[in-house]
Amino acid sequence: MLFRRKEMQSDICFVEVSLNALDETNFLISDGNAASAKTQFFNTAQELQFLPWPVLRADFWSDFDEGKRKACSEILIPSRVAPKFIRVIHCFSSAQTTALAQKGIKSVISLDKYFR
């Protein structure tokens, strides 16, 4: 998603959620871009093993077969994530972290999460 919105990435923050949130809510796991016919969906924590971890941990997804599709893997929580499960908010710039700090929200600059 961010690749398609590179021009907007300075306006986008990522909310990192603990996997412990899966113990208290319904969720859906995709092993790639949901629009792809090759993508599979799962709904148990045991099926996290089917995520393409080498692609997700890599700096560049283009080195992998179907890397672009697999890099879009996600865990979707359709309702609400309790605040206790929010681990960190990743930001693109100090302007974002400053704006969040003014609201009492801690965040970090994580340029490695963005396209440059």
Side-chain angles (χ1 to χ4, degrees):
M1 182 235 14
L2 187 60
F3 183 75
R4 302 271 311 214
R5 303 282 187 252
K6 284 189 287 191
E7 74 285 350
M8 296 175 57
Q9 65 184 349
S10 63
D11 298 323
I12 296 172
C13 295
F14 295 96
V15 179
E16 182 178 326
V17 176
S18 168
L19 288 175
N20 293 331
L22 303 183
D23 295 335
E24 294 188 13
T25 188
N26 293 321
F27 58 90
L28 189 63
I29 301 168
S30 75
D31 70 351
N33 185 315
S36 171
K38 292 183 177 184
T39 295
Q40 296 180 7
F41 295 90
F42 312 98
N43 61 6
T44 68
Q46 294 77 18
E47 292 167 307
L48 285 169
Q49 67 179 319
F50 299 125
L51 285 175
W53 292 109
V55 176
L56 297 174
R57 290 184 176 122
D59 290 332
F60 301 100
W61 41 260
S62 58
D63 297 340
F64 295 88
D65 182 42
E66 295 188 74
K68 186 174 182 180
R69 179 189 71 79
K70 292 176 181 179
C72 294
S73 298
E74 55 191 342
I75 300 173
L76 303 164
I77 299 175
S79 54
R80 179 180 181 274
V81 174
K84 68 182 180 180
F85 295 119
I86 296 175
R87 295 182 60 188
V88 64
I89 298 175
H90 298 278
C91 298
F92 181 79
S93 69
S94 60
Q96 291 173 316
T97 58
T98 300
L100 289 170
Q102 290 172 347
K103 297 178 186 279
I105 301 169
K106 293 182 183 181
S107 61
V108 297
I109 297 173
S110 302
L111 292 179
D112 61 314
K113 309 281 186 227
Y114 296 85
F115 291 97
R116 288 177 270 144

